[in-house]
Amino acid sequence: MKIPSTLNMISDLIAIPSISCNDPLKDQSNQTVIDLLATWCNELGFKCEIMPIPNYSNKFNLIATLGIGNDGLVLAGHTDTVPYDNWQFDPFKLTEQDDRLYGLGTSDMKAFFALALTAVEQVLANGIQLNHPITILATANEETNMAGAKALNSNLRAKYALIGEPTGLKPIRMHKGIMMDSICLHGQSGHSSNPCLGNNALEGMYQVIGELLKWREQLQVKHNNSAFQIPVPTMNLGHIHGGDSPNRICADCELYVDLRPLPGMNLTELRSTLHQLVKNTLQNSGLDIKFKVLFDGIPAMETPNDAEIVTITERLTNQPSGAVAYATEAPYLQALGMQTIVLGPGDIEQAHQPDEFIATNRLQPMIDILTQLIVQCNQ
Ligand SMILES: [Zn+2]
């Protein structure tokens, strides 16, 4: 049983580019990161399953399990990073300066794996008998479409899950969901001098926008959760394009909508309400309506306040659990039956930023939290 030091593991993970990007030219495989994690997990006695992601030839999840049973603890993270630009430091070389470790994926969230493995190594070195299994879960494509988390199935069974996303060592039990859709209206072009010659899609979209804003108001009256900084669900109209010339009737108009529901709001229902609202608004307009899914979405997540994983992590961190505005893989682990908490050593302010870093004084506290969590989930 021999794995490298925590710092060397962080440095090795940072050195392997594993960028996820919707631009295929920038998108990279995560296989080398997965293989390296599997090597270390093997050293510690884990049984490793490398799981290919459907529809991708070069993306994988690692499910590494120590022990047997379906009542264990999953320590989960994603192996990919976002792309980088405008870095002063080398993004792929771990640089220690001013009590910070700089590198792409330090906070979000490769360092977490090194801390999790160090914690497991310490537990084993202390001769603690594991009554319940520990699983290291390393996923692909969290930063783009969650393909790794979505590919997980009932082979992965556990009682508890901790996701080490950057939360500044605070337990997070709630986040909002996301979905993004496009609404396309098609009418008829014609000379602007005679409205009878065409059917104006832009004017149809104007009506749709009016109804969308009314719907948003209703949603915000109906749904409110004070744990969130923005306590209501949000809807953003982010892009509109229609027509070409002032003297032509606009034949086509497209609008992009981003919806961020609170826990308890269902993505499928929201999407069908959205579609129905647009259809009702334009029912006598003669305009063709098409909907495109820009991002099928991530559900909102909420782990009950009295769940054991919440109580344990609140005690270990000495902090109340809270809510964040960004989405994680938590809903997918929850759907597999795990009590899920998001708790990691990085800060979200550093994630996706040039010169991303993790403060060195976050490392040992996170190792301690994980070590004690393993012990407490083992009872
Ligand atoms: Zn992340």
Side-chain angles (χ1 to χ4, degrees), residues 78 108-109 142-143 165-166:
H78 60 84
D108 187 19
M109 57 168 289
E142 192 271 347
E143 298 289 5
E165 289 278 13

Side-chain angles (χ1 to χ4, degrees), residues 1-10 12 36-46 113-125 136 367:
M1 171 175 110
K2 188 90 193 98
I3 55 171
S5 70
T6 310
L7 270 186
N8 283 340
M9 284 194 283
I10 298 175
D12 289 353
L36 184 61
L37 288 171
T39 306
W40 294 333
C41 287
N42 272 321
E43 283 295 324
L44 294 173
F46 283 78
F113 290 112
L115 306 178
L117 290 168
T118 303
V120 173
E121 185 188 39
Q122 283 182 10
V123 168
L124 296 176
I136 301 284
I367 295 170

Side-chain angles (χ1 to χ4, degrees), residues 286-304:
L287 294 167
D288 278 346
I289 308 164
K290 283 207 174 61
F291 300 102
K292 275 193 291 192
V293 171
L294 298 175
F295 180 56
D296 61 347
I298 303 168
M301 94 99 173
E302 178 171 18
T303 298

Side-chain angles (χ1 to χ4, degrees), residues 1-4 6 9 37 40-47 64-67 73-76 112-130 132-137 364 366-375:
M1 171 175 110
K2 188 90 193 98
I3 55 171
T6 310
M9 284 194 283
L37 288 171
W40 294 333
C41 287
N42 272 321
E43 283 295 324
L44 294 173
F46 283 78
K47 195 171 139 281
T65 308
L66 187 65
L73 166 68
V74 173
L75 302 177
F112 169 75
F113 290 112
L115 306 178
L117 290 168
T118 303
V120 173
E121 185 188 39
Q122 283 182 10
V123 168
L124 296 176
N126 291 338
I128 292 166
Q129 173 81 30
L130 289 178
H132 307 288
I134 303 172
T135 299
I136 301 284
L137 170 65
Q364 192 57 49
M366 188 68 200
I367 295 170
D368 293 342
I369 289 167
L370 290 170
T371 311
Q372 292 167 53
L373 180 68
I374 292 169
V375 171

Side-chain angles (χ1 to χ4, degrees), residues 90-112:
D90 180 345
F92 302 109
K93 185 177 178 297
L94 192 70
T95 309
E96 187 168 2
Q97 192 174 304
D98 302 327
D99 301 320
R100 292 170 170 184
L101 297 171
Y102 291 90
L104 180 64
T106 43
S107 255
D108 187 19
M109 57 168 289
K110 289 173 166 178
F112 169 75

